[in-house]
Amino acid sequence: MQARYAKPRPEPATVKAVPKPATGARGRKAAPKPIRARGRKTRRGTVRELHKACSAAPVVYLALLDLAGRSTVCTPTRETLSAATGIPRLKTISAALTALEKASWIRRAHVPVLVGSKRTATLLRIQILGKGRYAPSTGRFT
């Protein structure tokens, strides 16, 4: 007589623990974090924070103020900013503009230039936010 061997059974599926939702002080669900538009901060950073993000950013900001004159909007090219600041690398100018935008000092928009119905180029439209007087004691523009 032959012995019958039982077929090996698959191992039971392990049950993973489901993490509990985050709760506040009184056991209620924590409020969801507010959504920020395109990574912009809610408050404007100081000059020191801006310099830490990109050392060329304060220089580019001053060049933008000079190019804008009395207006808060200007449309410079990166080459124009390079000539105005003395920074030869266009990559550095772009990094400075990105740091200024993330720190909520400027707002950028790419505007298409149309001749008839044909798109010929794209302008960089920069709006300078909070343009005003510099307060050295706080390191902020007011």
Side-chain angles (χ1 to χ4, degrees), residues 21-39:
T23 57
R26 296 185 180 178
R28 297 183 186 140
K29 287 185 180 178
K33 293 182 180 179
I35 298 171
R36 294 182 183 161
R38 290 184 59 202

Side-chain angles (χ1 to χ4, degrees), residues 66-117:
D66 190 37
L67 291 170
R70 298 180 111 186
S71 175
T72 58
V73 178
C74 60
T75 55
T77 62
R78 287 174 178 77
E79 289 82 10
T80 305
L81 288 172
S82 177
T85 58
I87 300 170
R89 292 188 65 205
L90 297 182
K91 207 172 194 179
T92 306
I93 299 290
S94 296
L97 290 172
T98 301
L100 284 165
E101 188 176 21
K102 282 185 179 178
S104 298
W105 286 59
I106 64 169
R107 196 174 291 147
R108 285 194 288 184
H110 294 277
V111 181
V113 177
L114 302 174
V115 175
S117 62

Side-chain angles (χ1 to χ4, degrees), residues 44 61 65 105 129-142:
R44 194 162 132 177
Y61 184 75
L65 286 175
W105 286 59
L129 303 174
K131 185 175 177 181
R133 195 178 77 233
Y134 178 69
S137 60
T138 61
R140 294 177 183 262
F141 284 89
T142 57

Side-chain angles (χ1 to χ4, degrees), residues 6-60:
K7 291 182 180 176
R9 291 186 178 184
E11 292 184 25
T14 56
V15 178
K16 294 183 180 179
V18 177
K20 292 183 180 180
T23 57
R26 296 185 180 178
R28 297 183 186 140
K29 287 185 180 178
K33 293 182 180 179
I35 298 171
R36 294 182 183 161
R38 290 184 59 202
R40 292 190 186 116
K41 291 182 178 179
T42 54
R43 72 171 185 87
R44 194 162 132 177
T46 62
V47 176
R48 178 177 286 157
E49 291 169 352
L50 187 62
H51 186 271
K52 190 182 259 188
C54 178
S55 60
V59 178
V60 171

